[in-house]
Amino acid sequence: QVQLVESGGGLVQPGGSLRLACAASEFTLDNDAIGWFRQAPGKEREGVSCVSYNGGSAYYADSVKGRFTISRDNAKNTVYLQLNSLKPEDTAVYYCATHRWNRLCVGWEYPDRFSSWGQGTQVVVSS
């Protein structure tokens, strides 16, 4: 099964920034809506953001709106998630995935609508 690969996580102080990347080497992403999710220890996986196949629409969870920005570069077959003004509660493993059946992020908050999950990248926000 093909998978996406996430990168860019790390340890950052509160208020800091990171840029996560989601790439595919075995298939192209330009026909897929891509979602970012996160999972903190002991919590369920939650939707963070989604971008439509052409980058024309983007959606965010209320908890990250105004701080995170999703974008995509289809020429590089990569989707990015810029994380600014990070808070300790943003600490989690971040995953990206492709929407199973819709290019416009319909129902993007629900992880079971996505596939091709990567292994995730750890983000730790701590002083």
Side-chain angles (χ1 to χ4, degrees), residues 72-116:
R72 66 189 303 156
D73 185 341
N74 284 344
K76 295 183 177 180
N77 213 33
T78 302
V79 174
Y80 303 97
L81 186 67
Q82 178 70 40
L83 286 59
N84 295 332
S85 303
L86 282 162
K87 305 175 181 180
E89 52 263 43
D90 295 318
T91 295
V93 178
Y94 284 70
Y95 302 89
C96 62
T98 59
H99 201 300
R100 292 179 186 270
W101 51 266
N102 185 275
R103 301 194 300 171
L104 300 177
C105 294
V106 171
W108 69 271
E109 303 93 332
Y110 302 100
D112 62 358
R113 300 188 182 190
F114 288 79
S115 63
S116 302

Side-chain angles (χ1 to χ4, degrees), residues 4-59:
L4 300 174
V5 177
E6 303 93 341
S7 62
L11 173 63
V12 63
Q13 292 185 342
S17 298
L18 287 172
R19 189 175 79 155
L20 308 184
C22 169
S25 59
E26 299 180 27
F27 62 100
T28 58
L29 299 178
D30 55 2
N31 284 321
D32 295 302
I34 303 298
W36 279 97
F37 295 79
R38 66 186 181 186
Q39 188 165 18
K43 294 188 176 181
E44 293 187 353
R45 192 168 296 189
E46 64 171 348
V48 174
S49 183
C50 184
V51 62
S52 62
Y53 75 104
N54 61 356
S57 299
Y59 304 88

Side-chain angles (χ1 to χ4, degrees), residues 3 17 23 26 45 62 66 68-69 101 126:
Q3 289 183 315
S17 298
E26 299 180 27
R45 192 168 296 189
D62 288 344
F68 292 7
T69 303
W101 51 266
S126 175

